[in-house]
Amino acid sequence: MKNNDTTPTPVPTGTFSGEFRVVHLNPLTQKLDTTKRSNLTLTISQSTGYKVTGDTVLYHAGSYGDFALNGTYIQFIDKTVPANATGTLPKIHLAGTYQYIYDGTNFQFQAASDTLAYQYILKKSN
């Protein structure tokens, strides 16, 4: 008899607070440089979607939208990005697909390219 029981991945729900940061690889020195930081609050619910608040003045936009996830990736669909937006927006929006880990308290996710990473390091606050 096979045991097909698996432990389900917890779904992040509730309010999370912590740091958003942009990490850049300097092409000349090959050293990592944290170029931008903001303290954010992310409220996330399976029934209502997500909302970003907190320090949204300089680098990160306040936003809201829908999300979908599996055991490895979470995708955010930001409803505040203008439909006709092209190129780089003035602020970073929580949009796109991110690799994540969530242990019931700590919720961390990031999207990275060769020289740039957007990192969210959050902790459940309720």
Side-chain angles (χ1 to χ4, degrees):
M1 179 169 129
K2 289 184 181 179
N3 183 350
N4 290 330
D5 291 342
T6 59
T7 302
T9 303
V11 174
T13 58
T15 302
F16 298 84
S17 297
E19 186 177 63
F20 161 76
R21 59 187 176 197
V22 177
V23 180
H24 176 259
L25 177 64
N26 184 312
L28 298 175
T29 65
Q30 293 298 302
K31 292 186 179 183
L32 294 175
D33 170 25
T34 303
T35 58
K36 299 175 180 143
R37 294 178 188 238
S38 299
N39 290 315
L40 298 179
T41 299
L42 172 66
T43 305
I44 190 166
S45 163
Q46 288 184 292
S47 60
T48 60
Y50 76 93
K51 181 178 179 182
V52 175
T53 58
D55 182 6
T56 58
V57 175
L58 293 177
Y59 305 119
H60 203 288
S63 60
Y64 63 90
D66 298 318
F67 73 97
L69 58 84
N70 63 25
T72 306
Y73 295 98
I74 185 165
Q75 180 182 28
F76 295 96
I77 301 99
D78 187 341
K79 293 182 178 180
T80 66
V81 174
N84 61 353
T86 59
T88 305
L89 297 170
K91 294 182 188 177
I92 297 160
H93 285 250
L94 180 52
T97 303
Y98 298 78
Q99 193 167 18
Y100 82 96
I101 57 170
Y102 178 57
D103 65 6
T105 302
N106 299 294
F107 184 28
Q108 298 180 15
F109 51 98
Q110 79 169 11
S113 67
D114 289 343
T115 61
L116 188 67
Y118 295 155
Q119 299 177 334
Y120 297 78
I121 301 151
L122 308 174
K123 188 169 189 164
K124 192 163 190 167
S125 43
N126 74 346

